[in-house]
Amino acid sequence: PITPGELLCLGSSLAFSSLFYYLYRKKARVVARIQEAPKLQVDDDLPALVSAAEGRCLPYVALEGIVLPAKAVLTSHYHARLQGVIQKLLLREHRLIWNSLARSW
């Protein structure tokens, strides 16, 4: 005989397992899209390629090429031969709408 407490534990375990599996599969699809991203070279043809794309946007592309630092190259503290630069970040704010039911934006 199975008690109601055991059924509750089994049901919640199945629900959480299903939720985590769904989230795992969703993230796995995103990772697959990123790994299949086309590799483009940073050259004079890149602006023309971007302007010809739908919405003037290239989703999930890998850019390869040489970059020059604006001020100084960053050197790793742990590996002296590794160097890098900081990418400029673009922040887009989306319009917020007040949700009176949840009392949040």
Side-chain angles (χ1 to χ4, degrees), residues 24-101:
Y24 165 76
R25 294 299 303 161
K26 187 176 176 181
K27 296 300 179 184
R29 282 192 296 269
V30 171
V31 169
R33 282 188 63 195
I34 291 173
Q35 288 177 343
E36 295 170 357
K39 293 179 175 61
L40 302 175
Q41 294 293 325
V42 177
D43 56 8
D44 295 334
D45 299 334
L46 187 61
L49 183 64
V50 171
S51 62
E54 181 181 338
R56 299 178 54 105
C57 180
L58 298 172
Y60 294 126
V61 296
L63 295 176
E64 296 177 339
I66 298 173
V67 296
L68 299 174
K71 293 182 181 176
V73 176
L74 300 174
T75 306
S76 172
H77 294 287
Y78 304 107
H79 301 283
R81 297 184 311 152
L82 294 180
Q83 296 179 340
V85 295
I86 295 177
Q87 173 187 357
K88 288 184 182 178
L89 299 176
L90 174 66
L91 175 66
R92 289 188 188 163
E93 292 188 25
H94 298 281
R95 190 177 127 203
L96 298 175
I97 298 173
W98 176 255
N99 184 349
S100 61
L101 183 62

